[in-house]
Amino acid sequence: MTMRSHWSIAVSGLCLMLMPGMAQALQPGTYRCSSYNVSGGGGSCRNFQPLVLNPDGSYRYSSTKGQWQVRDGRLVLSKSSLWGPGEILGQDTIRFDYEYRGWRHVVSWTCRDCASARVVGDSPGPRGATRKGDAVGVSLTLRFDRSVGGVSGFVIVPAESASRYARNAPLPEGAVQGLAREAGPSAVTLETSRDNKLTSGRRYVVFLSWPRETLPVAILDLPSTDGDYTATLPARLDMPVSAPPATQPRN
């Protein structure tokens, strides 16, 4: 895979578009831009206005107001003439993929306040020590021996299913996905939550996604922990799915 240099392109005055239909797969809340990629190069979106999805079906982006709906797993907005429908990656993550002035833009949005939201009627389980097989949240830093750029997301797949996983394929049972963030030229960070249902005491393969490809990059041996798990893992872009056991992560 050819790594491209980072781009710094600002896009302002974006309007948002709608299609009919409604579903409850996406949490209302305030979504902020978390990843911005232009034709394969990473860019900054720290100055983007938040996208606010209200529980009553209305939305706001900057001065634009309209109605939001979900159809066939995609978010559609009533006043968009540019972004088009957004792909829903999870209950709190959206990605828009569109062309603008000859450049391909891939913009991801996440709602940090939504990540811990539970479905109404879903009561939390009892507190206590986490045992093997319990759901845990995971925070990972992936460190490469070379520069990486343009990362847009991650998929964590149980090791026994990893060899059968391919880009844009349905998630295997027990897998989770979300947004990945560049923490430097050769470091990527990612987070899950307890609601993502990664189970402790199990081995996983971590995949990273770019706009045109998804690669296995690291092995996660998730221990039987007594709480959410944080680790730094060695990662590589040419890792086979059948890679040998990972070295002990640095907590």
Side-chain angles (χ1 to χ4, degrees):
M1 180 182 65
T2 300
M3 292 292 114
R4 301 173 176 84
S5 60
H6 292 298
W7 295 78
S8 178
I9 299 176
V11 175
S12 60
L14 298 179
C15 298
L16 300 166
M17 164 185 183
L18 167 74
M19 296 172 66
M22 185 75 181
Q24 300 299 326
L26 187 66
Q27 292 284 345
T30 300
Y31 287 73
R32 298 187 182 278
C33 181
S34 55
S35 177
Y36 179 42
N37 185 279
V38 183
S39 293
S44 172
C45 60
R46 67 181 61 185
N47 294 325
F48 279 28
Q49 295 293 315
L51 171 62
V52 181
L53 304 181
N54 296 312
D56 64 359
S58 64
Y59 80 89
R60 182 182 75 255
Y61 177 73
S62 188
S63 61
T64 302
K65 297 180 180 180
Q67 299 295 312
W68 68 275
Q69 300 189 24
V70 174
R71 171 176 289 180
D72 298 328
R74 302 181 73 85
L75 172 68
V76 289
L77 305 153
S78 64
K79 300 295 182 179
S80 172
S81 59
L82 177 60
W83 289 4
E87 182 182 2
I88 297 174
L89 302 180
Q91 290 190 345
D92 57 1
T93 306
I94 316 159
R95 181 170 64 205
F96 292 90
D97 188 337
Y98 59 91
E99 296 287 334
Y100 179 66
R101 293 185 176 178
W103 297 87
R104 185 184 182 212
H105 295 250
V106 180
V107 188
S108 298
W109 301 77
T110 186
C111 177
R112 295 184 181 276
D113 294 337
C114 299
S116 60
R118 293 180 176 271
V119 177
V120 175
D122 180 18
S123 58
R127 291 185 174 269
T130 303
R131 302 173 302 276
K132 181 176 181 179
D134 284 349
V136 298
V138 170
S139 298
L140 299 178
T141 298
L142 306 178
R143 295 204 176 274
F144 295 84
D145 60 1
R146 57 182 291 189
S147 178
V148 295
V151 176
S152 58
F154 72 86
V155 183
I156 301 178
V157 179
E160 63 271 19
S161 303
S163 63
R164 299 188 299 274
Y165 177 72
R167 177 177 174 82
N168 295 328
L171 288 185
E173 183 178 358
V176 301
Q177 64 181 355
L179 295 177
R181 300 172 180 83
E182 295 171 30
S186 60
V188 174
T189 61
L190 58 91
E191 295 180 355
T192 73
S193 72
R194 286 178 180 267
D195 293 334
N196 288 139
K197 296 182 172 58
L198 281 180
T199 54
S200 63
R202 193 173 185 183
R203 167 170 282 199
Y204 294 89
V205 174
V206 182
F207 290 77
L208 287 184
S209 296
W210 286 263
R212 291 180 174 84
E213 62 183 334
T214 297
L215 300 173
V217 298
I219 300 293
L220 168 62
D221 284 308
L222 187 55
S224 301
T225 68
D226 58 359
D228 291 347
Y229 184 68
T230 300
T232 296
L233 302 178
R236 47 187 285 201
L237 296 173
D238 59 349
M239 189 197 84
V241 174
S242 56
T247 57
Q248 183 65 31
R250 300 187 298 274
N251 291 322

